[in-house]
Amino acid sequence: MFSPHGPTLRELAVQALSSVEHGYDLLAPKFDHTPFRTPDAVLDAVAAALADMGPFDHGLDLCCGTGAGTDVLRTVCRESVTGVDFSAGMLAVGREQVRSDGPPRVAWVRGDARALPFGPVFDLVVSFGAFGHFLPGELPGLFTQIHSVLRPGGRFAFPIGAPLRPASPWYWALLGFDTAMRVRNTLWRPPFVMYYRAFRFGDVRRELTRAGFTVEHRALPDFGRGPDGSPRCRLMVATRGSGAPQASPA
């Protein structure tokens, strides 16, 4: 399915009925031959934007998967790049595919983004395509974790697309996918959390601010603008200040 080297329909079905971690372990060898991998156009646009903001010394690719974002960090970080993911299978593929000889040196760590095993040592954190795996109620804890591993002045950057309009076929495709996942998770255990429409710009900006970040966003010009003139894709850039995060309301 997707390509001659991609997973079969049966393999995707087995993955979809597994936990998130085990599902990605199963999919890892063929992941880069699916549409789930972040497109090169997005990676290149983010790399160009980060190059204008850098260079950076130490970078972290959060939920790194097979290492597409890790490769982006290699172009803008001078000393070290770390990829962290909770799927051992995805990390194994990343180790095979991404150059590890430095500079910068590259390390791979198995860990949960909700409990990162690092101190405040990074100048830049990026993430691509992973936020659908977190429920909205998990964002405050996730962003607090990211804040805690950045040095003062460090940045957390990720692309975010404009909301789709009902006239777009992709709007209905993603709505159908999310609905199917909600039905699946109601009827089957363990759950597989992946919702494309749950990561909303306004909610994300608010929770980043509460976590102690100063937030800005920049248009990624390669993707143009919508009929109303707004960018079709932005780079969200959240900068850690020196203060402590604000407490989330009860």
Side-chain angles (χ1 to χ4, degrees):
M1 195 171 180
F2 304 128
S3 81
H5 304 291
T8 65
L9 184 60
R10 180 182 181 279
E11 288 172 329
L12 283 175
V14 172
Q15 182 222 1
L17 294 175
S18 303
S19 67
V20 179
E21 179 180 348
H22 185 54
Y24 276 105
D25 284 345
L26 294 173
L27 184 60
K30 299 181 179 180
F31 177 80
D32 287 347
H33 301 286
T34 73
F36 309 130
R37 181 187 183 273
T38 302
D40 286 340
V42 175
L43 297 169
D44 292 344
V46 172
L50 293 176
D52 289 340
M53 295 160 49
F56 304 90
D57 288 331
H58 304 283
L60 175 67
D61 183 10
L62 187 77
C63 305
C64 63
T66 56
T70 309
D71 247 347
V72 169
L73 286 178
R74 289 183 65 252
T75 69
V76 297
C77 294
R78 295 179 291 197
E79 295 190 25
S80 75
V81 172
T82 301
V84 63
D85 201 284
F86 73 168
S87 167
M90 299 288 271
L91 289 169
V93 174
R95 286 190 186 97
E96 292 177 359
Q97 294 188 156
V98 177
R99 280 184 51 199
S100 59
D101 55 323
R105 62 185 183 276
V106 179
W108 304 89
V109 176
R110 188 178 182 190
D112 191 329
R114 292 161 292 202
L116 291 171
F118 310 109
V121 297
F122 297 104
D123 307 293
L124 175 64
V125 175
V126 299
S127 193
F128 295 90
F131 296 116
H133 293 303
F134 301 95
L135 296 171
E138 295 179 292
L139 293 183
L142 175 67
F143 292 159
T144 298
Q145 281 291 300
I146 296 167
H147 187 277
S148 74
V149 303
L150 282 166
R151 294 172 172 171
R155 288 166 167 165
F156 171 37
F158 55 90
I160 185 167
L164 295 170
R165 298 175 179 274
S168 167
W170 282 108
Y171 175 95
W172 297 103
L174 297 183
L175 177 62
F177 180 92
D178 283 7
T179 301
M181 291 304 297
R182 292 186 188 282
V183 172
R184 178 255 187 245
N185 289 334
T186 300
L187 300 175
W188 192 267
R189 292 290 184 273
F192 192 99
V193 176
M194 182 63 205
Y195 300 116
Y196 282 102
R197 301 173 71 250
F199 195 69
R200 297 185 176 92
F201 183 89
D203 297 338
V204 171
R205 187 184 182 98
R206 181 183 65 251
E207 295 302 339
L208 285 168
T209 301
R210 286 178 176 167
F213 289 103
T214 300
V215 185
E216 60 178 314
H217 50 87
R218 308 178 181 194
L220 293 176
D222 292 357
F223 300 97
R225 293 181 177 271
D228 62 354
S230 63
R232 286 197 169 95
C233 191
R234 294 179 172 95
L235 183 69
M236 190 78 87
V237 181
T239 303
R240 174 179 174 167
S242 57
Q246 301 174 30
S248 295

